Amino acid sequence: MAEKLHHVVFEPDGRTLRVPEGQTLMEAARAAGIHVESPCGGNGTCGGCRVIIPERAPPPTEVCRRELTGEELARSVRLACQVRVVTDLRVIVPQETGLGDQKILTEGADLPVPLAPNVRKTAVHVPPPSVDDQRADAERLLDALADGGLADLAIDVRVVRDLPDRLRSFDFHPSVVVIGDQVVHLDRATAADACYGMAFDVGTTTLAGYLMDLVTGKVVAVASRANPQTAYGDDVIARIEYCGRVKAGPRTLQALVVGAMGEMVAEACRRASIKPSAVYEAAVVGNTTMNHLLLRLPVDQIARAPFVAASSSAHSVPASEVGLKIHPQGRVYTAPLVAGFVGADTVGVILATGMHEGDRLRMAIDIGTNGEIVLGTRERLLACSTAAGPAFEGARIRYGMRAATGAIDRVDIQAGRVVIHTIDDAPAVGLCGTGLIDAVAALLAAGVVGPTGIMKSGQELERAAPHLARRVSGADGDIAFMLAGKDETGGGHPILLTQRDIREVQLAKGAMAAGVHTLLGEFGATVDDVAEILLAGAFGNFIRPDRALAIGLLPRAPLGKVRFVGNAAGGGARMLLVNRNLRRVADDVARGVEHVELSQRPDFQMRFAEAMLFPGG
Amino acid sequence: MAEKLHHVVFEPDGRTLRVPEGQTLMEAARAAGIHVESPCGGNGTCGGCRVIIPERAPPPTEVCRRELTGEELARSVRLACQVRVVTDLRVIVPQETGLGDQKILTEGADLPVPLAPNVRKTAVHVPPPSVDDQRADAERLLDALADGGLADLAIDVRVVRDLPDRLRSFDFHPSVVVIGDQVVHLDRATAADACYGMAFDVGTTTLAGYLMDLVTGKVVAVASRANPQTAYGDDVIARIEYCGRVKAGPRTLQALVVGAMGEMVAEACRRASIKPSAVYEAAVVGNTTMNHLLLRLPVDQIARAPFVAASSSAHSVPASEVGLKIHPQGRVYTAPLVAGFVGADTVGVILATGMHEGDRLRMAIDIGTNGEIVLGTRERLLACSTAAGPAFEGARIRYGMRAATGAIDRVDIQAGRVVIHTIDDAPAVGLCGTGLIDAVAALLAAGVVGPTGIMKSGQELERAAPHLARRVSGADGDIAFMLAGKDETGGGHPILLTQRDIREVQLAKGAMAAGVHTLLGEFGATVDDVAEILLAGAFGNFIRPDRALAIGLLPRAPLGKVRFVGNAAGGGARMLLVNRNLRRVADDVARGVEHVELSQRPDFQMRFAEAMLFPGG
């Protein structure tokens, strides 16, 4: 009894969802990780989730009529929580809450984490000094905070420098910002409620940021960017080599990433109508290299056997120390790393999926430029990192591109004919990660590519699939399949998938699969023992799992075992931002996970070679 | 049964001691707080305590003959530990261990403090990483330190930046410097034993510094300076006003004092033949204003009722934060303050004298530009600060000067004639603090000055004391007494003591005495209840106590109750430098002492007015 699905295209980022009939736009957007403002939580009471439905706008509900102006109703503005999907739709999400020009997953599942942020802001009445009470300003303030339940705090000398002036200009009734056990700032009492933090997932290729209200624990805005370091290398090894080659390299890469992070803060704050100076802490997860580059720690020993980090601990440093533009007295918390290339992003995935507390054997696969795999239960967790490479993020692929307008994001071969879909339905300009997986899966299914990854020539295909045969050009190593011709590219160059591209896919999926099997072997388990496969990553949510299974990117398992968990690494960062107690848990997780160093295992190379074959070989 | 005393003059600073017959020069120097190098502790085994006895040098002992060269013996070089005093002597202490051009007390009694410095340096073998042991460098080092007994340490990001390189260049066998719970530096293992700290007493007028070997706990060199801030005001109020008036004032004053402290480090290190980069921590005591100026904390609220500090806590800041030139990763510890003007110097006095542990009622009087007084037992301690002013340090006195060459440091009137002594027996050029006290005491005793402080005219004195009458000149408010004429000044201007100078002495001693009596009143005790009066301060040791009693600078008490404790504030700094556990004690002391704010007490003004009278009035 299949439910009826409708295609809903979300503008301006062009993502298309198949939405079950009767679901609201808000529910659909949430399920797909598309951020739509919903201050009231989707209850139709705040009117915050405005979207525009330019064609076939449904009649406004009573709530829409109450919350929206006549002018808005006439412009086809509706509330996303009020629109039930009963037909295909195109929906424009107002720009200030949109995702920008790239599909980057910036919101995962809601996190059931108690609110206990490391940053606290509280208004306090400090008794003014008198001849009978000559306590110093700092100790006077600390005593007042202790009376209010915030005991055992300290004030750094740098903060004391402003303290006498501030206490007096606020008439001894300031709003006090505390980070950890440190009083870091005094503000006027009226600003008591403005207290924000930013959670970051710093990926090799993409950056995701979540601006969180630390009083409510809610995400109030998101921002994302390509990691500008990519200009200096597609993967971490290339960037480490760059740092070894060019003296100013580390400084350059650090400035790039922290600059982009600062832009993200500014952008998210603009959307939420707050000042970046109301952001007091950033919580950052990232792999070992991203972590070290951000903190200006040396990276060259990471890339040389035996591949060790300079420091795997969590750090909390002044924002000014790394140059992140939040409140001048703000701090940057970086979550702890596991070992080797397995970093804090993996710790984030574990925290967000609760694998460190689970009884059932589960596997998390985080597909990024490096692929991290975690396997285990609360008793024992194994993790490894594989150099999957940035193929699925568009790099090293002849016509590869990021998931932006004009990217082919879906490829099917139906009745011998190629059917493509592009983001924003725009003329095709390239091929993004999901399109790449789809294309390879389709060519495998159609017999154009064999299990060893060799593409058949036009001649070989002529009889069985004449429509497809015509799309094959070149010969030998240079052979290629045309995914989109002039008609579909608006007269631009045709989009080809080359033999070399397929090799890149084989390398990437082979690395992932070999990692999966090495971990299973180390654990003494088989795929069948795994109760659930959690697919994480900025990119995971957009993959069609059957296609990923078809090319062997995911281990051979029933589709029902596969669950998308969104950007779980970023989810971990959000949890660590809003709950300081979890930071000790993160330390334990980071220390407790057994790191499996793939590169040094004799079985890995063999498994890798095997795993480069496509299923069915 | 009086013991026989000999006069021993120590050059080049000219201090004269009365030394009991048979005492060694080393013992005499120590008892007076004069620093003579004695690496072996005075046992005659190191030959380190070389002094020169230009006239009447005693025959060399066997030890002298063993330790000194023939050339040295011929130059009258002797070992201070070997020379027993049996006659008056002049002794030259080699310049590099001398006190420079000013009498500043830089060494007090030996301190019976267990050695537990906050700075620890230890060589450690770190197991190199391997594929089977991929711990990060930082955690690898911390684990190795924990195995060696130094657990629960942390490493700051800034130190981690150098860590991989240093670990490898030292073949994973570094010498590690730990300050508090922080690993701050890695050095080559051969440098394991070089670990020093510097204790500072930062006074309003004078700075004293003690370079200490943190492995042995011994003072290895001393240095002293006038506080260069005096150019911007004699006392703390004048400096606070300067900071209020001139925007760059706080920066200027901070740079001056920290610059002088850096010079003292350099000078002491030169004497001890070590590099300033082997100094990892400075422990500083100072009054509230000196503390705040050094830490760049605001000072203006200190000078305005109700006179509160910005922070009274101890602080530990990077040396780079305040600009002190020790090891770049070194730290500066500032001891906690009591309240109002009563600062860490008073905490130092209490620690060094053990008043916080004593059962008998004792009083400590620290004579400086501000006079601090502490009264009490382990059960209850009271403290106050009085603006004694810098009169005893030579300022605001017509011919006042610091205790340097040519200063009149002793004045007697014998058989109606004035007998003076000058430092270095040089022609008199001015009058230092001890000379000032002596002069006033002598004039009081001779009846030249009456109990109200009024100086008699030449006419009034003509009959009773014709020799003295001739020394009085001027009339009314402008009247003055000539202490030294042309004969004694080498043809320079005569040295006068004016009526106004006597008023300054009255103000200073009145402030001290009023503080003493206010504390006694607050405690509910009389002078007779006080078991011991501890006289502390850079200057205290050179005072003749009977003269101080004669002018009422000390409370009327038997001379036997008065004990000199030397620069006890500096002693406290030394104790805090070599024993980190004492820092918690200091926190408790600072919090536990009851501060008596004199300026706001109605009884203080009356006591002050009364106390300006001289005894016998």
Side-chain angles (χ1 to χ4, degrees):
Chain A
M1 218 171 50
E3 57 187 345
K4 195 167 175 194
L5 297 176
H6 300 285
H7 284 85
V8 177
V9 182
F10 283 85
E11 302 282 11
D13 70 298
R15 191 146 20 125
T16 303
L17 304 178
R18 284 170 302 170
V19 179
E21 170 131 358
Q23 206 174 42
T24 67
L25 281 180
M26 175 65 83
E27 289 160 351
R30 269 193 194 153
I34 295 176
H35 183 73
V36 174
E37 289 283 354
S38 59
C40 76
N43 292 320
T45 56
C46 73
C49 59
R50 284 169 171 73
V51 295
I52 300 169
I53 302 169
E55 299 101 21
R56 293 194 297 276
T61 64
E62 198 181 320
V63 170
C64 283
R65 269 191 240 107
R66 188 181 68 221
E67 298 288 342
L68 302 173
T69 65
E71 186 270 335
E72 283 176 322
L73 291 171
R75 279 200 298 118
S76 302
V77 174
R78 298 291 183 273
L79 298 179
C81 68
Q82 296 296 312
V83 177
R84 293 196 179 276
V85 176
V86 292
T87 175
D88 287 6
L89 279 182
R90 195 159 68 88
V91 178
I92 300 173
V93 181
Q95 194 60 30
E96 55 279 18
T97 60
L99 286 174
D101 69 343
Q102 196 191 350
K103 282 186 184 175
I104 297 173
L105 199 61
T106 41
E107 239 194 304
D110 279 323
L111 302 161
V113 179
L115 192 62
N118 195 44
V119 180
R120 289 165 287 178
K121 196 165 182 181
T122 181
V124 61
H125 279 280
V126 182
S130 68
V131 175
D132 297 324
D133 174 6
Q134 286 184 309
R135 283 173 299 165
D137 284 345
E139 288 65 33
R140 174 179 306 281
L141 175 64
L142 294 179
D143 289 348
L145 287 165
D147 289 344
L150 287 174
D152 298 324
L153 302 181
I155 308 188
D156 188 85
V157 159
R158 280 163 287 212
V159 180
V160 179
R161 288 187 186 133
D162 280 343
L163 185 62
D165 254 11
R166 287 187 169 262
L167 265 183
R168 285 162 185 77
S169 68
F170 302 146
D171 285 332
F172 290 91
H173 178 38
S175 161
V176 179
V177 180
V178 175
I179 305 185
D181 64 353
Q182 294 283 326
V183 172
V184 300
H185 184 62
L186 265 67
D187 214 337
R188 52 188 73 252
T190 49
D193 54 340
C195 183
Y196 296 85
M198 189 99 173
F200 281 103
D201 171 25
V202 176
T204 308
T205 304
T206 56
L207 311 175
Y210 311 82
L211 179 66
M212 301 187 79
D213 182 330
L214 297 179
V215 177
T216 65
K218 301 279 181 202
V219 173
V220 293
V222 297
S224 58
R225 285 280 186 289
N227 187 334
Q229 293 176 342
T230 47
Y232 294 87
D234 280 341
D235 57 28
V236 298
I237 299 295
R239 290 185 213 164
I240 292 172
E241 284 171 0
Y242 176 73
C243 289
R245 213 165 55 235
V246 177
K247 192 155 183 296
R251 191 181 305 260
T252 303
L253 296 190
Q254 202 271 346
L256 280 173
V257 74
V258 87
M261 291 166 72
E263 289 170 15
M264 291 162 71
V265 170
E267 180 185 329
C269 286
R270 218 163 31 239
R271 287 183 186 166
S273 301
I274 64 163
K275 291 181 188 167
S277 62
V279 179
Y280 291 99
E281 192 176 43
V284 180
V285 301
N287 64 49
T288 303
T289 310
M290 293 302 106
N291 169 284
H292 277 34
L293 287 175
L294 176 63
L295 291 174
R296 290 199 281 125
L297 297 179
V299 290
D300 62 312
Q301 80 290 338
I302 303 174
R304 290 193 316 251
F307 316 105
V308 296
S311 167
S312 56
S313 296
H315 289 282
S316 176
V317 300
S320 57
E321 166 73 30
V322 290
L324 182 63
K325 289 197 175 151
I326 56 175
H327 189 279
Q329 299 294 341
R331 296 190 75 85
V332 175
Y333 162 83
T334 59
L337 317 175
V338 176
F341 290 95
V342 181
D345 45 358
T346 301
V347 174
V349 168
I350 293 170
L351 290 176
T353 58
M355 288 183 76
H356 61 302
E357 298 175 327
D359 292 318
R360 297 180 305 159
L361 183 61
R362 295 191 292 173
M363 175 179 283
I365 300 177
D366 191 356
I367 304 174
T369 311
N370 268 26
E372 276 86 27
I373 303 155
V374 185
L375 175 72
T377 66
R378 63 191 308 164
E379 302 293 335
R380 185 184 184 202
L381 282 177
L382 303 180
C384 69
S385 176
T386 69
F392 296 128
E393 300 180 80
R396 296 191 199 154
I397 299 296
R398 175 91 173 263
Y399 290 97
M401 68 179 289
R402 293 183 296 146
T405 300
I408 299 173
D409 65 346
R410 225 157 55 220
V411 178
D412 289 291
I413 297 182
Q414 293 167 349
R417 291 178 190 268
V418 175
V419 181
I420 63 165
H421 178 266
T422 63
I423 293 179
D424 294 347
D425 288 322
V429 290
L431 185 65
C432 71
T434 51
L436 181 64
I437 293 172
D438 273 17
V440 174
L443 293 179
L444 275 169
V448 178
V449 171
T452 61
I454 304 289
M455 196 183 286
K456 290 189 179 141
S457 67
Q459 224 170 356
E460 291 173 278
L461 289 169
E462 190 57 56
R463 267 198 34 217
H467 289 297
L468 301 179
R470 258 170 279 154
R471 290 176 172 256
V472 178
S473 60
D476 301 334
D478 227 25
I479 200 166
F481 184 89
M482 186 180 70
L483 293 172
K486 273 194 179 167
D487 290 353
E488 291 141 319
T489 62
H493 60 76
I495 310 298
L496 307 179
L497 184 75
T498 70
Q499 179 68 65
R500 188 167 296 173
D501 294 341
I502 291 170
R503 286 284 178 236
E504 285 291 338
V505 171
Q506 285 181 284
L507 287 168
K509 78 100 186 176
M512 298 294 300
V516 164
H517 286 100
T518 304
L519 278 203
L520 283 169
E522 183 71 28
F523 199 91
T526 69
V527 173
D528 296 337
D529 297 326
V530 178
E532 198 170 35
I533 295 171
L534 306 168
L535 197 57
F539 155 93
N541 264 29
F542 307 107
I543 294 176
R544 292 196 282 183
D546 56 340
R547 306 300 199 278
L549 281 166
I551 70 165
L553 176 63
L554 294 181
R556 228 170 289 199
L559 266 184
K561 276 193 181 178
V562 179
R563 182 157 71 90
F564 292 110
V565 293
N567 183 350
R574 292 198 299 273
M575 293 163 74
L576 290 165
L577 182 63
V578 299
N579 189 312
R580 66 184 177 279
N581 304 317
L582 212 57
R583 297 183 185 184
R584 285 195 298 274
V585 177
D587 294 340
D588 292 341
V589 165
R591 268 195 300 268
V593 172
E594 293 173 43
H595 174 236
V596 177
E597 176 59 53
L598 298 179
S599 67
Q600 302 295 306
R601 299 180 66 100
D603 51 349
F604 178 75
Q605 289 307 323
M606 213 172 63
R607 283 206 169 99
F608 186 19
E610 282 170 12
M612 282 183 57
L613 295 180
F614 289 116
Chain B
M1 213 169 56
E3 59 186 344
K4 198 169 176 195
L5 296 176
H6 300 285
H7 283 86
V8 178
V9 182
F10 283 85
E11 303 281 10
D13 69 298
R15 189 142 26 122
T16 304
L17 304 180
R18 285 170 301 170
V19 179
E21 170 131 357
Q23 207 176 42
T24 68
L25 280 181
M26 175 65 83
E27 288 159 354
R30 268 194 195 155
I34 295 175
H35 183 74
V36 174
E37 289 284 352
S38 60
C40 77
N43 293 321
T45 56
C46 74
C49 58
R50 283 168 171 75
V51 295
I52 300 169
I53 301 170
E55 299 103 21
R56 295 193 296 275
T61 65
E62 198 181 323
V63 172
C64 283
R65 269 191 242 105
R66 188 182 69 221
E67 297 289 340
L68 300 173
T69 66
E71 184 270 336
E72 283 175 322
L73 292 170
R75 278 200 297 119
S76 302
V77 174
R78 297 292 182 271
L79 296 180
C81 68
Q82 296 297 311
V83 177
R84 292 195 180 277
V85 176
V86 292
T87 174
D88 287 5
L89 280 181
R90 196 158 66 89
V91 178
I92 299 171
V93 182
Q95 192 62 28
E96 53 280 18
T97 60
L99 287 175
D101 68 343
Q102 195 191 352
K103 282 184 182 174
I104 297 173
L105 198 61
T106 41
E107 238 192 304
D110 279 324
L111 303 163
V113 179
L115 193 61
N118 194 44
V119 180
R120 289 165 287 179
K121 196 164 181 180
T122 182
V124 60
H125 279 280
V126 182
S130 69
V131 175
D132 297 325
D133 174 6
Q134 286 183 308
R135 282 174 301 164
D137 284 346
E139 287 66 33
R140 173 178 308 280
L141 174 64
L142 294 180
D143 289 349
L145 286 165
D147 290 344
L150 287 174
D152 298 324
L153 302 180
I155 309 186
D156 188 85
V157 158
R158 278 163 287 213
V159 179
V160 178
R161 288 188 184 133
D162 279 344
L163 184 63
D165 253 12
R166 287 188 168 261
L167 265 183
R168 284 161 186 79
S169 67
F170 301 145
D171 285 332
F172 289 90
H173 178 37
S175 161
V176 179
V177 180
V178 175
I179 306 185
D181 65 352
Q182 293 284 325
V183 172
V184 301
H185 185 61
L186 265 67
D187 214 337
R188 51 188 72 252
T190 50
D193 55 340
C195 184
Y196 296 85
M198 188 97 173
F200 281 103
D201 171 26
V202 176
T204 307
T205 304
T206 56
L207 312 175
Y210 311 83
L211 179 65
M212 301 188 79
D213 183 330
L214 296 180
V215 177
T216 65
K218 301 279 182 202
V219 173
V220 294
V222 297
S224 58
R225 285 280 186 290
N227 188 335
Q229 293 176 343
T230 47
Y232 295 86
D234 281 341
D235 57 28
V236 296
I237 298 295
R239 290 185 213 164
I240 292 172
E241 284 172 358
Y242 175 73
C243 289
R245 212 164 54 235
V246 177
K247 192 156 185 296
R251 190 182 306 260
T252 303
L253 297 190
Q254 203 272 347
L256 280 173
V257 73
V258 87
M261 291 166 73
E263 288 170 16
M264 291 162 70
V265 171
E267 180 185 327
C269 286
R270 217 163 33 240
R271 288 181 186 167
S273 300
I274 64 162
K275 291 181 188 166
S277 62
V279 179
Y280 291 99
E281 193 177 42
V284 180
V285 301
N287 65 48
T288 303
T289 310
M290 293 302 105
N291 169 283
H292 277 34
L293 287 175
L294 175 63
L295 292 174
R296 291 199 280 125
L297 297 179
V299 290
D300 62 314
Q301 80 291 338
I302 303 175
R304 288 196 316 253
F307 315 106
V308 295
S311 168
S312 57
S313 295
H315 289 282
S316 176
V317 300
S320 57
E321 166 72 30
V322 291
L324 182 63
K325 287 197 175 151
I326 57 175
H327 189 280
Q329 299 294 341
R331 296 190 75 84
V332 174
Y333 162 82
T334 58
L337 317 176
V338 176
F341 289 95
V342 180
D345 45 358
T346 301
V347 173
V349 168
I350 294 170
L351 290 176
T353 57
M355 288 183 77
H356 61 303
E357 298 175 327
D359 291 318
R360 296 180 306 157
L361 183 61
R362 293 192 292 172
M363 176 180 281
I365 300 178
D366 192 356
I367 303 174
T369 311
N370 268 26
E372 276 85 29
I373 304 156
V374 185
L375 174 72
T377 67
R378 64 191 307 164
E379 302 294 335
R380 185 184 184 201
L381 281 177
L382 302 181
C384 68
S385 175
T386 70
F392 296 128
E393 300 179 81
R396 296 191 197 154
I397 299 297
R398 174 91 174 262
Y399 288 98
M401 69 179 288
R402 294 182 297 146
T405 300
I408 299 173
D409 65 346
R410 225 158 54 219
V411 178
D412 289 290
I413 296 181
Q414 293 166 347
R417 291 177 188 272
V418 176
V419 180
I420 64 163
H421 177 266
T422 62
I423 294 177
D424 294 348
D425 288 323
V429 290
L431 184 65
C432 71
T434 51
L436 181 63
I437 292 171
D438 273 18
V440 174
L443 293 180
L444 274 170
V448 177
V449 169
T452 60
I454 303 290
M455 193 182 287
K456 289 188 178 143
S457 67
Q459 219 172 357
E460 290 173 281
L461 289 169
E462 190 57 57
R463 269 199 34 214
H467 288 297
L468 301 179
R470 256 171 281 151
R471 290 178 172 254
V472 179
S473 60
D476 299 333
D478 226 26
I479 199 165
F481 185 90
M482 185 180 71
L483 293 172
K486 273 193 177 168
D487 290 354
E488 292 141 318
T489 61
H493 59 77
I495 310 296
L496 307 179
L497 183 76
T498 69
Q499 177 68 65
R500 189 167 297 175
D501 294 342
I502 291 171
R503 287 284 178 235
E504 286 290 338
V505 171
Q506 284 180 284
L507 286 168
K509 78 101 187 173
M512 297 294 299
V516 164
H517 287 101
T518 303
L519 278 203
L520 283 169
E522 183 70 26
F523 200 90
T526 68
V527 173
D528 295 337
D529 299 325
V530 178
E532 199 170 35
I533 295 171
L534 307 168
L535 198 57
F539 154 93
N541 264 30
F542 307 107
I543 294 177
R544 292 197 282 183
D546 55 341
R547 305 304 198 278
L549 281 166
I551 70 164
L553 176 62
L554 295 181
R556 230 171 286 199
L559 266 182
K561 277 193 181 178
V562 179
R563 182 157 70 89
F564 293 108
V565 293
N567 184 351
R574 293 198 299 274
M575 292 162 74
L576 291 165
L577 183 63
V578 299
N579 189 311
R580 66 182 176 282
N581 304 316
L582 213 56
R583 298 184 184 183
R584 285 194 298 273
V585 177
D587 294 339
D588 292 341
V589 166
R591 267 195 301 267
V593 172
E594 294 172 43
H595 173 238
V596 178
E597 175 60 51
L598 298 179
S599 67
Q600 302 295 305
R601 298 181 66 100
D603 51 347
F604 178 75
Q605 290 308 324
M606 213 171 65
R607 284 202 168 103
F608 186 18
E610 280 169 14
M612 282 183 56
L613 295 179
F614 288 115

